[in-house]
Amino acid sequence: MTEAEDRKPQSDEARSAFRPPSGVAASIDGESSTTSEFEIPQGLAVPRNTGSESETTSEFALPEGLDAPTGAPAETEGSAFSMPSTYHAWSPAAFTPASGFPAVNLTDVPWQDRMRAMLRMPVADRPAPEPSQKHDDDTGPAVPRVLDLTLRIGELLLAGGEGAEDVEAAMFAVCRSYGLDRCEPNVTFTLLSISHQPSLVEDPVTASRTVRRRGTDYTRLAAVFHLVDDLSDPDTHISLEEAYRRLAEIRRNRHPYPTWVLTTASGLLAGAASVLVGGGLTVFVAAMLGSMLGDRLAWLCAGRGLPEFYQFAVAAMPPAAMGIVLTLIHVDVKASAVITGGLFALLPGRALVAGVQDGLTGFYITAAARLLEVMYFFVSIVAGVLVVLYFGVQLGAELNPDAQLGTGDEPLVQIGASMLLSLAFAILLQQERSTVLAVTLNGGVAWSVYGAMHLVGDISPVASTAAAAGLVGLFGQLMSRYRFASALPYTTAAIGPLLPGSATYFGLLAIAQSEVDRGLVYLSTAVALAMAIAIGVNLGGEISRLFLRVPGAASAAGRRAAKRTRGF
């Protein structure tokens, strides 16, 4: 065909629907062959088959350029039950964070550490609970009843003065012991709540409980810890009914010491504290009588329904009045030692330690509420003592704020007084009789460390107090791990000899004599000593956890922080 003929328009017969357009090569088989929708497109090689040319290719056939897996036989036709020809029997590695997943051991450590470690983990990293057998049928425990039991246990612990982190750990342990995963407890000063979400597609179940009454009874606190320990033991099967029964028995139990023993213990505490600041036998008796009278008046106010603020103010008046009377009748004794001894029995060391511990572990709302409670108690004590001191100064009592109290020249007497103070404090806290001896010895050791550092070594009283309190906290944590119980019974009474009673008294006396600047200096010293006690106790407990075996870390370097790290 010439070039001229090629430019001529072609007829309709020449334009066939099956004819390739201009510029596209014609089929090799000729113009009569048509293309099929099942035919291999041009440019793709037909797989080498052993069959005849008439065999059709399967939609699962391997395209050219892809090699079949090693060892996999080539198939001519695809089957619904055969592996695709492009399957390599290989899957990519699972995603793992750069830091790795923590390996949690749930059997070799106390339940407090197990639960605390899991609470500090993200929810997705927590191990699933073991299959629970603590119910009577195969349907599993009733979730609302488990949450109610958990809240009731948490209420007893929080009302007894336990730290917020330990309360959350106990609540978490109870839930996991009954097989409830994905539980989130939340603790504040007056409200407990817990939420359980069975799965990501189900609605969460949430329950809460308000803490309205608080009481100091470490025997009840220890019994609750024993219950939680038994529930966390995989070898002990306690049903919900049995757990409720034991909890009701704990609530109904009477205090281990009668009222007259508590009043006597309050007097012994004040008398021992007066000896610690240099008082003699007369001062011991006077401080004891004043404190016992204040204790009885406080019980009377409590029976009338007065708030604790007024109870503390009333209880602080008789010891101060006893010191003023001794000064007015010109008895040659240290009246300031009598007043200081009475203050020792009232200073809220337990609430202060718990408040600082909550702040250091990241529970800032609860810590702020506890410290506010401490401030109210302190203000009430200040109000009661200032009223008596003001009238005493007006009556001509000669009280010298510059006359510093000493500690006596007989170390053995001082150590004996500190042990007596710790013993009396333990009784006031309603501790178990089996723990009284240990905490008494702990108080004597704490005072010995303080005396050796401050009196002999001439070290700052704040640093000496912090070191002694740290030793107390370390001993308390070790004892709590050994007995699977709370550390409070082993620490709270032992810090009694370290409380800043004398600094508080001299600050109040200076304010009563219109020397506000001097009074604020003494009170700031008292606050510094109180903070040193609280931080030292918490630091001792953290040191014990730092070097002992904890879940989720092969060494201390892998231990997670309490709430946040470096403020971020």
Side-chain angles (χ1 to χ4, degrees):
M1 185 179 292
T2 64
E3 183 178 355
E5 292 175 350
D6 193 23
R7 289 195 299 263
K8 292 179 181 181
Q10 299 178 355
S11 61
D12 292 338
E13 292 79 2
R15 299 177 182 272
S16 172
F18 300 99
R19 182 176 180 177
S22 177
V24 178
S27 173
I28 338 174
D29 298 336
E31 296 180 359
S32 61
S33 64
T34 59
T35 54
S36 169
E37 58 179 333
F38 300 103
E39 187 177 359
I40 299 297
Q42 186 177 8
L44 292 181
V46 180
R48 297 183 178 88
N49 296 328
T50 56
S52 63
E53 294 180 359
S54 62
E55 289 181 333
T56 59
T57 56
S58 169
E59 58 179 333
F60 299 104
L62 187 66
E64 184 180 8
L66 292 181
D67 296 330
T70 305
E75 295 184 2
T76 58
E77 294 185 0
S79 170
F81 301 98
S82 61
M83 288 292 181
S85 58
T86 56
Y87 182 76
H88 288 273
W90 171 86
S91 60
F95 173 74
T96 303
S99 58
F101 289 112
V104 180
N105 189 349
L106 300 179
T107 57
D108 297 339
V109 289
W111 66 265
Q112 297 98 317
D113 288 336
R114 302 201 309 267
M115 299 303 113
R116 188 182 292 111
M118 280 188 284
L119 282 174
R120 295 177 181 182
M121 290 180 184
V123 178
D125 294 349
R126 294 174 184 171
E130 297 295 332
S132 175
Q133 301 297 332
K134 302 182 189 304
H135 45 82
D136 298 331
D137 49 22
D138 297 334
T139 60
V143 173
R145 296 199 66 198
V146 174
L147 298 185
D148 178 69
L149 175 67
T150 302
L151 289 174
R152 291 177 183 273
I153 290 177
E155 178 191 12
L156 284 181
L157 293 176
L158 188 63
E162 191 63 65
E165 187 179 29
D166 292 327
V167 175
E168 280 196 359
M171 295 171 64
F172 195 65
V174 174
C175 286
R176 290 184 66 88
S177 66
Y178 285 101
L180 298 188
D181 196 10
R182 306 180 65 88
C183 288
E184 286 297 331
N186 187 24
V187 175
T188 59
F189 187 60
T190 58
L191 182 65
L192 298 170
S193 63
I194 188 166
S195 178
H196 168 65
Q197 188 173 14
S199 66
L200 293 177
V201 296
E202 296 182 66
D203 295 332
V205 180
T206 303
S208 62
R209 191 172 183 88
T210 303
V211 180
R212 302 188 184 276
R213 294 182 59 86
R214 300 179 184 274
T216 305
D217 189 344
Y218 282 0
T219 300
R220 179 178 296 174
L221 190 70
V224 176
F225 262 80
H226 287 315
L227 174 59
V228 178
D229 181 49
D230 290 341
L231 290 175
S232 304
D233 188 358
D235 298 329
T236 304
H237 305 297
I238 301 178
S239 64
L240 270 175
E241 298 300 331
E242 176 67 15
Y244 268 108
R245 186 190 63 78
R246 289 183 56 177
L247 191 63
E249 289 179 356
I250 293 173
R251 286 180 173 274
R252 286 196 302 264
N253 281 347
R254 299 175 59 88
H255 297 307
Y257 307 104
T259 304
W260 66 269
V261 174
L262 299 179
T263 302
T264 305
S266 176
L268 290 175
L269 191 155
S274 65
V275 174
L276 279 181
V277 294
L281 181 60
T282 305
V283 172
F284 178 89
V285 175
M288 182 176 177
L289 293 177
S291 182
M292 292 173 66
L293 180 59
D295 181 76
R296 286 291 87 201
L297 290 177
W299 277 97
L300 179 62
C301 293
R304 299 295 179 181
L306 289 179
E308 283 187 310
F309 182 89
Y310 303 105
Q311 298 177 28
F312 272 80
V314 170
M317 291 182 178
M322 191 70 68
I324 295 296
V325 169
L326 292 177
T327 303
L328 291 176
I329 62 177
H330 303 288
V331 177
D332 188 17
V333 294
K334 293 182 178 180
S336 55
V338 178
I339 302 175
T340 301
L343 291 177
F344 265 87
L346 299 175
L347 292 177
R350 172 181 59 87
L352 175 66
V353 171
V356 173
Q357 179 181 357
D358 288 343
L360 294 177
T361 51
F363 294 84
Y364 301 112
I365 297 178
T366 307
R370 289 187 189 271
L371 293 178
L372 184 62
E373 181 188 40
V374 171
M375 188 192 74
Y376 271 104
F377 289 162
F378 191 77
V379 169
S380 66
I381 296 171
V382 167
V385 174
L386 276 181
V387 169
V388 177
L389 291 180
Y390 177 78
F391 283 106
V393 170
Q394 298 300 318
L395 293 175
E398 298 179 359
L399 299 173
N400 185 12
D402 294 328
Q404 294 288 343
L405 294 175
T407 55
D409 299 328
E410 300 180 1
L412 294 180
V413 175
Q414 301 296 307
I415 294 175
S418 65
M419 294 176 66
L420 178 62
L421 191 153
S422 299
L423 172 64
F425 205 172
I427 295 175
L428 285 177
L429 294 174
Q430 304 277 2
Q431 291 190 196
E432 290 180 301
R433 291 178 174 86
S434 59
T435 64
V436 170
L437 178 60
V439 75
T440 300
L441 296 176
N442 198 14
V445 172
W447 180 259
S448 301
V449 172
Y450 171 80
M453 294 182 64
H454 176 55
L455 303 177
V456 180
D458 200 18
I459 302 177
S460 166
V462 176
S464 303
T465 301
L471 189 62
V472 169
L474 178 61
F475 175 78
Q477 276 297 327
L478 294 177
M479 288 300 298
S480 68
R481 288 167 175 271
Y482 174 72
R483 303 193 62 177
F484 296 92
S486 172
L488 288 181
Y490 302 99
T491 57
T492 305
I495 65 173
L498 305 175
L499 293 175
S502 59
T504 303
Y505 161 70
F506 283 116
L508 299 180
L509 179 59
I511 293 176
Q513 294 180 344
S514 301
E515 298 180 4
V516 179
D517 294 339
R518 180 180 296 178
L520 292 179
V521 170
Y522 279 116
L523 291 180
S524 62
T525 303
V527 172
L529 292 174
M531 292 297 292
I533 293 172
I535 295 175
V537 170
N538 180 264
L539 182 60
E542 292 297 325
I543 288 175
S544 69
R545 297 192 189 104
L546 188 66
F547 292 102
L548 293 178
R549 185 178 182 182
V550 295
S555 63
R559 181 172 178 266
R560 292 179 179 267
K563 285 290 184 181
R564 299 187 298 177
T565 302
R566 299 175 61 186
F568 298 107

